[in-house]
Amino acid sequence: MKTLDERLHVVEKHVKDDEITIMIMGLGSVGTYLLDFLVSKNDPAIKLVVVGRNHEKMQSDVNIVRVASLIRELNKSQIHIEGGVDLNDIDAIEKAISKYNPDFIVNSSRAYPGLKYGSISWNNVRAYGIWTPLSIKFTKNIMDACDKADTDAVVINTSYSDAVIPWLKSAGKAYPDFGSGNLNHLIPRMKFAVADILGVDDFWNVDFNFAAAHFHDVCISKEGQTEGVELPLKIYYRGEEKDIPHDDIFKACSISMPVDQKRNMMNASSNYRIISAVIDAIRTGENQKVFAPGVFGHIGGYPVLIGYKDDKISAWIDESVFSFDEMDKANRESLALDGVEDIRDAKLIYTDDLIRKVKDAFGEDLPKEVEYDDIEKTAEFLIEKIITPQL
């Protein structure tokens, strides 16, 4: 695939020409929420394409989004439906990409739809990394199709990007540019917490420099603590740094949330923010800040700036406060607590602790290493031996 900067240059032209095409792969709950959010942007420059197997189901979901948004008088987008596309079929995916030439592709698919994997793993093994082979299953197919189509799209992945994107990169494969979710679910909680601590109402004026991987999104959100890991964090209010004990902020982040598919509003919102950040950076010329897991193929989550460098649209990790090495160290510690020891040489390496926990909880032997070529086999093992007996 072309470099991200090369593709952003093409997207820039389409944004300036008011001809923006956004493709959503998989119209489950994340995809449907995202479709709703994008339609509600009320931007006639945006054309939307939804891709998946079941045309009839997607048509029904598209209809409710179109009608509901027009009731609010927030619908100026055309929506196209590309059915009959099995995400196991790389050629079918490639044809859909080549047909529409999207500026953005969002992979919102899941290999095992309708199940929150964490509902099984957190209470049993306290680690989400076990599911990495499942999370990468469709992502690798979509990226192979993107490579074959030589797409100019910016690609966003929704499923466990902290590990999935680095795994693809380590295997020498095409990989998504940004991950969504994870770290993004924690940042708003932290904004609310800081505003409460400071006694102010304008929580939107709270900002951070912060890096952490998926485990700490879950651990802090559920339990209000970091498991003893010191995370790189600076707090700002109206641009002024604030000295607030980090543990006080994290403790206040443990708030009640739905555990069903309504949670996917957050993931969809994260995708929406990344897309909007690219568009807004081009339209306004101002840098936009997002938080993204797996960005540029790195383990964990990072603060990222999207904007202009030397008059060219680009994206880069924000190292103005913390160095990459400082953030990488914290991310690797976080991912290890999630059961992933390392990702290198096209291999996912589980921690010994996770292997022991899986044996104790499920009576099954998790392999120490998963080769890239064994992804399908391991995904089937996880479904057959771990997921199915729990249902």
Side-chain angles (χ1 to χ4, degrees):
M1 282 174 63
K2 302 179 185 76
T3 67
L4 175 58
D5 280 1
E6 289 172 329
R7 286 176 282 123
L8 281 170
H9 180 67
V10 176
V11 172
E12 177 188 37
K13 181 180 184 306
H14 294 167
V15 170
K16 289 182 175 179
D17 290 343
D18 288 333
E19 294 179 350
I20 306 165
T21 302
I22 301 170
M23 176 175 283
I24 302 172
M25 295 275 189
L27 202 61
S29 60
V30 172
T32 303
Y33 280 129
L34 177 59
L35 181 68
D36 186 26
F37 298 160
L38 290 168
V39 167
S40 296
K41 208 169 167 61
N42 211 31
D43 188 341
I46 292 177
K47 177 174 77 175
L48 297 157
V49 182
V50 297
V51 177
R53 283 190 298 259
N54 190 328
H55 189 286
E56 184 178 357
K57 179 185 179 301
M58 289 192 295
Q59 183 69 70
S60 178
D61 290 339
V62 166
N63 287 343
I64 189 66
V65 168
R66 293 178 74 229
V67 170
S69 59
L70 199 54
I71 291 171
R72 302 191 302 273
E73 296 188 358
L74 293 173
N75 184 350
K76 294 181 180 177
S77 294
Q78 298 298 314
I79 305 175
H80 299 263
I81 301 171
E82 191 70 15
V85 179
D86 188 331
L87 297 184
N88 289 300
D89 186 342
I90 294 170
D91 289 339
I93 303 168
E94 180 197 355
K95 287 177 183 176
I97 293 169
S98 297
K99 179 177 178 179
Y100 292 98
N101 293 314
D103 298 293
F104 299 91
I105 297 173
V106 178
N107 167 32
S108 67
S109 65
R110 291 176 71 81
Y112 200 102
L115 173 70
K116 297 295 290 183
Y117 302 152
S119 64
I120 294 175
S121 58
W122 185 256
N123 290 332
N124 286 292
V125 297
R126 199 176 168 77
Y128 195 92
I130 182 177
W131 308 119
T132 311
L134 268 179
S135 297
I136 200 174
K137 188 174 187 292
F138 285 157
T139 310
K140 69 181 180 63
N141 293 344
I142 290 170
M143 293 315 303
D144 281 347
C146 285
D147 199 22
K148 290 178 68 176
D150 195 24
T151 183
D152 290 315
V154 173
V155 185
I156 307 168
N157 181 58
T158 65
S159 187
Y160 203 51
S161 296
D162 305 68
V164 164
I165 299 178
W167 197 359
L168 286 163
K169 185 178 183 180
S170 80
K173 303 292 185 179
Y175 54 90
D177 304 294
F178 299 93
S180 65
N182 301 1
L183 186 59
N184 293 281
H185 299 175
L186 181 58
I187 294 292
R189 299 170 190 248
M190 292 168 61
K191 290 190 176 188
F192 292 135
V194 168
D196 285 346
I197 291 168
L198 294 176
V200 299
D201 294 329
D202 54 336
F203 45 79
W204 53 90
N205 283 318
V206 176
D207 195 13
F208 305 100
N209 258 284
F210 184 51
H214 180 275
F215 177 85
H216 280 101
D217 159 43
V218 178
C219 187
I220 295 170
S221 298
K222 284 181 174 290
E223 300 174 359
Q225 55 95 16
T226 67
E227 209 83 329
V229 175
E230 186 174 344
L231 298 172
L233 170 64
K234 292 285 187 182
I235 307 108
Y236 306 90
Y237 173 64
R238 293 180 177 265
E240 180 182 331
E241 186 176 346
K242 295 296 179 180
D243 184 15
I244 302 172
H246 296 179
D247 287 347
D248 291 353
I249 298 171
F250 296 142
K251 184 177 181 180
C253 288
S254 180
I255 58 177
S256 63
M257 282 276 188
V259 295
D260 59 11
Q261 292 188 349
K262 288 192 290 293
R263 287 182 59 84
N264 287 330
M265 287 184 193
M266 295 187 293
N267 199 314
S269 297
S270 175
N271 287 283
Y272 175 91
R273 173 58 191 145
I274 294 167
I275 293 168
S276 294
V278 174
I279 294 172
D280 292 348
I282 293 168
R283 284 177 169 170
T284 68
E286 297 177 359
N287 287 353
Q288 301 292 315
K289 185 176 181 179
V290 299
F291 291 88
V295 66
F296 312 129
H298 295 304
I299 285 172
Y302 295 84
V304 177
L305 294 175
I306 301 167
Y308 283 87
K309 276 186 171 182
D310 299 324
D311 296 325
K312 294 180 180 179
I313 188 68
S314 187
W316 61 96
I317 291 174
D318 181 4
E319 296 183 66
S320 62
V321 176
F322 299 108
S323 70
F324 174 80
D325 287 345
E326 288 176 288
M327 293 186 281
D328 179 63
K329 179 178 181 293
N331 275 313
R332 288 178 178 275
E333 288 184 64
S334 184
L335 203 68
L337 288 169
D338 229 7
V340 177
E341 180 179 303
D342 202 0
I343 299 165
R344 62 174 185 267
D345 303 326
K347 291 182 289 192
L348 174 81
I349 304 170
Y350 288 122
T351 62
D352 293 339
D353 188 49
L354 177 61
I355 292 169
R356 177 187 58 77
K357 287 177 178 177
V358 169
K359 184 67 173 180
D360 290 346
F362 306 115
E364 299 293 339
D365 294 313
L366 198 65
K368 176 64 177 176
E369 299 180 353
V370 181
E371 300 279 355
Y372 188 84
D373 290 340
D374 290 335
I375 286 171
E376 298 285 347
K377 180 177 72 175
T378 309
E380 290 306 313
F381 164 82
L382 292 171
I383 291 171
E384 180 183 344
K385 299 296 186 180
I386 307 296
I387 291 178
T388 303
Q390 307 304 311
L391 301 180

